[in-house]
């Protein structure tokens, strides 16, 4: 992507320049910068240049133009140092930098399908004929935070996302089970509602599970523990279910989770007096004044979304001895929450769901090996106990999908396998769990290291309990006597507790 940078800035000095610094000094400095300092690191003929340099009072005004090799804002930082050195000889310091104008022009052939309307730190955007012109609104502290570079990176990401949209989401079949006998052709949620096994809760995409389906879900969980977690040496942990922003900043979720998060807020104060008007309003109207509440709370994060990210705070900044690897832990301590799209459908797609999250870490080789062991165990469970018809596919890694990035088919070592099963009542395939090798993403994001200096890798596998149930019941039905022998003996008798008149 070809780029042009045009920056107008003023160096504010601690003293009047006239009388102290000669024009010749300034001209010499400018010549040195243009021939040497601003070309450093750039290919021959490239780099930045001071197009104009003027001083009056305690101000040095600079106009810098550059290509992408020494971007004008980097050039400015170099110049600040260099002029600082010159002025220092005359006991004058540079107090600050004011950015008067900053225009970045980019080649933007990919602009076709992508209209850039608004960007942070940009006051004006012009997009025409393969060019994108940005007028930035920044100060020195934004330069220190490398905002211009991050803006360009952001645009590149947006462009890549458009390139990807054209192609379909990555999906590559890895394994397909044998055909299996189906004993049911209805929607299991509908059937469970009819039988009072289940009731829609007060919240969106949320159910109350009655004793029968709860027993089935717990049996599925028990199978997972008995067949996989326990024999492989997994230890149980309890992960937080409220996720503070600090976690999502490091996991990458802060890049894209917004349309799907369940947000969590705390009161601005717990002083009852501060809340009295809200309480009173409810008491006299019987309505909860949500608008009033919104003004009295502040957002601090969201509800558990991907389950494993908040675990990593446990290891953050630590160094571990290699000999304790591989480490295998799991969490089943609570719900996950996603604001699902219109696609909400029974227990197959929920805003509140239950999942066992399996997490392992080790050297790269250990993590990849272990993922294969897990895949074997899962196949055994689906074949021999649940008798499911399912398939496995190599898909966009969950951690990229959740950051809003497109999938990389080229990723072969790190990535996600989705497990999908066919729902006979609709003929659709439903993803019911995944197994992922996450590479060094999490250890890097949370600064976890190994004593040997070797890279720490990790993997995780999310087992959606409602999804397992949905898939099993859709294929095998709700009648216990039609279920595979092994499974029905694990479930035992279904409790009958409620009756309604
Ligand atoms: N953390 C992974 C996910 O969110 C596995 O549960 O998909
Ligand atoms: Zn995970």
């Amino acid at each position: 992507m070809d780029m042009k940078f045009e920056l107008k800035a003023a160096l504010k000095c601690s003293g009047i320049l006239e009388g102290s610094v000669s024009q010749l000094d300034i001209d010499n400095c400018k010549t040195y910068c243009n021939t040497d300092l601003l070309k450093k690191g750039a290919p021959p003929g490239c780099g930045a240049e001071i197009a104009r340099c003027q001083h009056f009072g305690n101000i040095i005004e600079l106009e810098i133009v550059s290509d992408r090799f020494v971007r004008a804002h980097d050039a400015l930082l170099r110049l600040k140092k260099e002029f600082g050195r010159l002025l220092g000889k005359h006991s004058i310091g540079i107090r600050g930098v004011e950015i008067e104008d900053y225009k970045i022009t980019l080649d933007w052939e990919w602009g076709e399908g992508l209209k850039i309307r608004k960007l942070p730190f940009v006051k004006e955007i012009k997009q025409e004929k393969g060019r994108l012109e940005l007028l930035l609104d920044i100060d020195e502290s934004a330069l220190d935070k490398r905002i211009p570079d991050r803006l360009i990176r952001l645009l590149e990401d947006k462009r890549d996302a458009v390139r990807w949209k054209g192609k379909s989401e990555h999906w590559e079949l890895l394994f397909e089970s044998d055909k299996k006998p189906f004993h049911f052709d209805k929607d299991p949620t509908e059937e469970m509602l009819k039988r009072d096994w289940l009731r829609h809760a007060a919240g969106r995409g949320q159910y109350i599970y009655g004793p029968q389906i709860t027993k089935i879900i717990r049996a599925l969980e028990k199978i997972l523990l008995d067949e996989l977690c326990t024999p492989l040496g997994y230890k149980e942990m309890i992960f937080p279910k409220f996720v503070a922003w600090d976690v999502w900043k490091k996991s990458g979720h802060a890049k894209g989770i917004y349309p799907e998060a369940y947000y969590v807020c705390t009161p601005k104060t717990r002083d009852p007096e501060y809340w009295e008007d809200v309480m009173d309003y409810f008491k006299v109207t019987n309505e909860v004044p949500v608008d009033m509440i919104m003004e009295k709370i502040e957002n601090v994060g969201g509800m558990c979304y991907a389950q494993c990210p908040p675990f990593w705070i446990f290891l953050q900044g630590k160094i571990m001895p290699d000999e304790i690897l591989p480490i295998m832990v799991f969490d089943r301590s609570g719900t996950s929450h996603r604001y699902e799209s219109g696609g909400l459908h029974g227990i197959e797609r929920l805003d509140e769901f239950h999942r066992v999250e399996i997490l392992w870490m080790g050297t790269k080789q250990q993590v990849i090996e272990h993922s294969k062991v897990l895949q074997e165990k899962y196949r055994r469970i689906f074949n021999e106990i649940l008798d499911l018809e399912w398939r496995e596919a190599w898909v966009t890694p969950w951690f990229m999908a959740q950051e809003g990035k497109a999938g990389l088919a080229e990723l072969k070592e790190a990535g996600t396998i989705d497990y999908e099963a066919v729902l006979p009542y609709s003929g659709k395939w439903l993803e019911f769990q995944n197994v992922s090798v996450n590479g060094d993403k999490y250890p890097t994001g949370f600064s976890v290291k190994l004593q040997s200096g070797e890279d720490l890798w990790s993997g995780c596998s999310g087992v959606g309990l409602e999804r397992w149930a949905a898939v099993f019941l859709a294929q095998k039905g709700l009648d216990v006597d039609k279920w595979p022998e092994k499974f029905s003996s694990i479930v035992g008798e279904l409790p009958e507790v409620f009756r309604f008149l």
Side-chain angles (χ1 to χ4, degrees), residues 253 305-309 336 338 353 355-358 397-399 402 416 418 431 433-436 438 442 460-464:
H253 284 86
Y305 178 94
Q307 203 158 344
C308 57
S336 294
R338 296 185 182 185
F353 58 98
R355 170 172 51 185
V356 181
E357 177 85 349
I358 288 172
W398 68 269
F399 46 90
Q402 293 178 11
T416 292
D418 267 356
E431 180 216 322
Q433 69 163 36
N434 60 26
V435 170
S436 300
N438 302 332
Y442 279 85
C460 71
S461 168
V463 174

Side-chain angles (χ1 to χ4, degrees), residues 62-97:
L62 293 167
E63 276 181 43
I64 308 165
V65 289
S66 83
D67 51 31
R68 68 195 164 93
F69 293 104
V70 179
R71 299 174 177 184
H73 51 274
D74 289 326
L76 179 64
L77 297 179
R78 291 187 194 183
L79 290 174
K80 185 183 167 194
K81 254 200 211 143
E82 191 56 31
F83 275 94
R85 204 167 307 162
L86 169 69
L87 301 181
K89 289 183 199 149
H90 306 276
S91 308
I92 296 177
I94 294 179
R95 280 236 193 90
V97 178

